[in-house]
Amino acid sequence: MDIRTRLLETAEQLFDRHGFNATGMDRLTEGAGISSRTLYKHVGSKNGLIAAVLNERDRRFHRLVEEDSIDALFGALETWLAQEAVRGCLFLRAWGETGGDVPEIAEAMERHKQRLRGRISDIVVAEISQHDDELVETIQLLFEGATHMAAYRGVATVDVARRAAQRLANAARAS
Amino acid sequence: MDIRTRLLETAEQLFDRHGFNATGMDRLTEGAGISSRTLYKHVGSKNGLIAAVLNERDRRFHRLVEEDSIDALFGALETWLAQEAVRGCLFLRAWGETGGDVPEIAEAMERHKQRLRGRISDIVVAEISQHDDELVETIQLLFEGATHMAAYRGVATVDVARRAAQRLANAARAS
DNA sequence: TGCAGTGTAAAACGATCACTTTACCTTCGC
DNA sequence: GCGAAGGTAAAGTGATCGTTTTACACTGCA
């Protein structure tokens, strides 16, 4: 496997499990099986590594939600949560730990949330054949809520969010 | 003002603004205007301080939601977000930064979420005159979602969450 | 009068942080 | 067969971390 890929995958797991600040460079290099010199050649700095992890995660997430349906959206979240022991949104966590003061991290977070909203907007049009900003925002609320509630209540909460989204979409379709 | 109160208020602001790990003891003692010896006399350790901050915040939050109505719940969240520049749920943030490995912090988080759920459960009974676990969970999803979306989209998102909760409660009442 | 309690300032603790440096080894295209 | 590219291990950089210690000042109660 490619060194960079291995590094990003290891880092993502460690960051999620222990937090960003609490994960030292030693643990990262040891986990990825590379020297610290190589790590710095590839990502420049720890913040660079965090940003790279987030951007790769964003790409992976959107590859997971390709179909334009509410079911696909929450199905993706379920898969997402099952294969990674997420403790809330990793983008918001990185942003919070750095106080919003690291541009590359703040931008990665912002970009991810924008893309998420775009996706949901497409889904709403596909589901009810018209634009409805309130419905988009509500589904995003449910999605964001499920992401964080799953951290302390388990994946089952995603189903509740999905059903609520579908009920609201049905109501919007009827009107 | 009481030393302990001043310490907890300062710490809460600094933790929220910069994150827990990134806020050193120097900044805390300087911010509260006390010596490090006094700080350790009062809270024992940094983790003790974090736990104390969370528990005090929990008490303050529940004092804010005394009325049993959906409107009061989201109204409280709005007040909450307006007077503190929150970057997501401070309980989940503390829990995430410490990897869930610090018992006193994990317990503070768990207790807060349990109490929140209890409150919402009471609200549902007051609003639709019967128990409805699915509705409770959905309202919690909207609440949790609003807490985190407000971090990057502003307080306005709370209104959307409130309206969705009310619509779902109305539907549950009718059935 | 004296002493316990509570506070201060400031230095020191060892550990750990992100990051750099030095010196050496392998691999591969020309 | 040579040089550049890209890797390793390991020591060292200065700064900062959470925490403890030393030495001293003020207050209020017995």
Side-chain angles (χ1 to χ4, degrees):
Chain A
M1 189 195 296
D2 180 48
I3 279 192
R4 188 185 163 89
T5 307
R6 201 173 60 215
L7 170 59
L8 294 190
E9 283 186 6
T10 311
E12 188 171 352
Q13 275 178 246
L14 289 172
F15 285 151
D16 179 55
R17 172 63 186 83
H18 302 285
F20 294 87
N21 281 293
T23 304
M25 301 307 273
D26 288 6
R27 216 173 340 184
L28 289 164
T29 52
E30 192 194 321
I34 61 174
S35 68
S36 71
R37 201 172 198 272
T38 304
L39 187 150
Y40 279 93
K41 277 262 171 71
H42 275 91
V43 294
S45 66
K46 190 181 188 181
N47 285 334
L49 173 59
I50 295 176
V53 164
L54 294 182
N55 288 324
E56 177 56 33
R57 189 177 172 88
D58 185 48
R59 283 188 51 238
R60 200 151 38 89
F61 176 73
H62 280 89
R63 229 177 298 133
L64 213 59
V65 199
E66 291 198 320
E67 207 187 326
D68 276 344
S69 76
I70 289 176
D71 218 60
L73 178 68
F74 287 93
L77 182 56
E78 238 164 359
T79 312
W80 190 251
L81 294 173
Q83 68 192 30
E84 349 227 344
V86 178
R87 296 165 187 271
C89 171
L90 205 65
F91 296 85
L92 282 181
R93 287 173 65 193
W95 181 68
E97 279 209 38
T98 53
D101 294 328
V102 182
E104 25 187 351
I105 294 175
E107 284 158 18
M109 185 279 271
E110 219 87 56
R111 210 178 309 125
H112 169 71
K113 297 303 185 188
Q114 288 263 87
R115 291 231 282 154
L116 172 63
R117 189 171 189 87
R119 222 333 113 71
I120 296 177
S121 190
D122 291 346
I123 288 174
V124 163
V125 171
E127 291 264 0
I128 70 168
S129 311
Q130 61 182 351
H131 287 283
D132 185 336
D133 274 352
E134 176 104 359
L135 182 58
V136 171
E137 181 107 358
T138 309
I139 292 177
Q140 192 174 352
L141 279 165
L142 289 166
F143 186 89
E144 197 79 65
T147 301
H148 289 91
M149 269 187 71
Y152 59 90
R153 286 188 62 88
V155 192
T157 201
V158 177
D159 265 333
V160 180
R162 187 207 325 254
R163 278 196 295 274
Q166 264 154 353
R167 231 175 307 137
L168 290 165
N170 285 339
R173 204 174 357 236
S175 72
Chain B
M1 187 194 295
D2 182 47
I3 279 192
R4 190 187 162 88
T5 308
R6 199 172 62 214
L7 170 59
L8 294 190
E9 282 185 7
T10 311
E12 188 171 352
Q13 275 178 246
L14 288 172
F15 285 151
D16 179 55
R17 172 63 186 84
H18 302 285
F20 295 88
N21 281 292
T23 305
M25 301 307 274
D26 288 7
R27 212 168 350 180
L28 289 164
T29 52
E30 193 195 319
I34 60 174
S35 67
S36 72
R37 200 171 197 273
T38 303
L39 187 151
Y40 279 92
K41 277 263 171 70
H42 276 89
V43 293
S45 66
K46 190 181 188 181
N47 285 334
L49 172 59
I50 295 176
V53 164
L54 295 183
N55 288 325
E56 178 56 33
R57 188 176 173 89
D58 185 48
R59 284 188 51 239
R60 198 150 38 89
F61 176 73
H62 280 88
R63 228 177 299 134
L64 214 58
V65 199
E66 290 198 320
E67 205 187 326
D68 275 345
S69 76
I70 289 177
D71 218 61
L73 178 69
F74 287 94
L77 181 58
E78 238 165 0
T79 312
W80 190 250
L81 294 172
Q83 69 193 32
E84 349 228 345
V86 178
R87 295 163 188 272
C89 170
L90 205 65
F91 296 85
L92 283 181
R93 287 172 64 192
W95 181 68
E97 280 208 38
T98 52
D101 296 327
V102 182
E104 27 187 351
I105 294 174
E107 284 157 19
M109 184 279 272
E110 220 86 55
R111 210 177 310 126
H112 170 71
K113 297 304 183 188
Q114 288 263 87
R115 291 230 282 155
L116 172 63
R117 189 171 189 85
R119 226 326 117 72
I120 296 176
S121 190
D122 291 346
I123 288 173
V124 163
V125 171
E127 291 263 0
I128 70 169
S129 310
Q130 61 182 345
H131 288 284
D132 185 336
D133 274 352
E134 176 104 359
L135 182 58
V136 171
E137 181 107 359
T138 309
I139 292 177
Q140 193 174 352
L141 280 165
L142 290 166
F143 187 89
E144 197 80 65
T147 301
H148 289 91
M149 269 187 72
Y152 58 91
R153 286 188 63 88
V155 191
T157 200
V158 177
D159 266 332
V160 179
R162 185 205 328 251
R163 278 196 295 273
Q166 264 155 350
R167 231 174 306 136
L168 290 164
N170 285 339
R173 201 169 3 228
S175 72

